[in-house]
Amino acid sequence: MTEPGERRRGTTSTATRERAVRGARDAAQRAADALSELIRHRLEGVSAVCRSEGDGWIVNVDVLEVARIPDTTSLLATYEVELDPAGDLLQYRRIARYRRGAQDQ
């Protein structure tokens, strides 16, 4: 028997189950939402989603950092966002910065 307020082993609370990431689409949405709250740049999209070693998620989010005219000269950046299995932000970092009109290298 467990003490009051103590969880039994092997059980998962309803709140944890409801918050758990339900796939790549959910991970992408949560990463984009978390990043936009922190950096205040307009999101352009998600360019990659994959599982991390710790059963969490790594998501690459593209954002508009500096808008310019013409639009092809605007500066964009790709941020790598790491989420834990529940979808909470662990860390993020900018991994690339480029002009919209630049070709991939």
Side-chain angles (χ1 to χ4, degrees):
M1 187 133 177
T2 60
E3 296 294 318
E6 187 179 322
R7 248 180 47 201
R8 291 192 321 240
R9 279 194 184 154
T11 63
T12 305
S13 71
T14 304
T16 302
R17 270 187 259 128
E18 288 175 3
R19 291 191 58 226
V21 176
R22 295 181 305 268
R25 183 180 301 189
D26 190 27
Q29 184 64 53
R30 290 187 194 205
D33 290 345
L35 186 64
S36 69
E37 289 177 15
L38 294 171
I39 64 171
R40 305 283 186 208
H41 291 299
R42 188 179 92 197
L43 300 180
E44 291 286 310
V46 171
S47 54
V49 179
C50 63
R51 285 286 206 171
S52 68
E53 291 180 16
D55 208 26
W57 295 88
I58 296 177
V59 181
N60 288 355
V61 181
D62 300 318
V63 301
L64 175 66
E65 287 199 333
V66 180
R68 291 186 177 157
I69 298 175
D71 190 47
T72 56
T73 62
S74 294
L75 291 178
L76 291 100
T78 300
Y79 285 81
E80 181 180 85
V81 180
E82 186 175 354
L83 304 175
D84 67 10
D88 294 321
L89 178 70
L90 294 176
Q91 64 181 353
Y92 75 95
R93 64 189 179 110
R94 184 170 65 190
I95 58 173
R97 194 169 192 201
Y98 54 95
R99 260 192 258 97
R100 185 184 299 276
Q103 293 178 326
D104 286 349
Q105 298 185 18

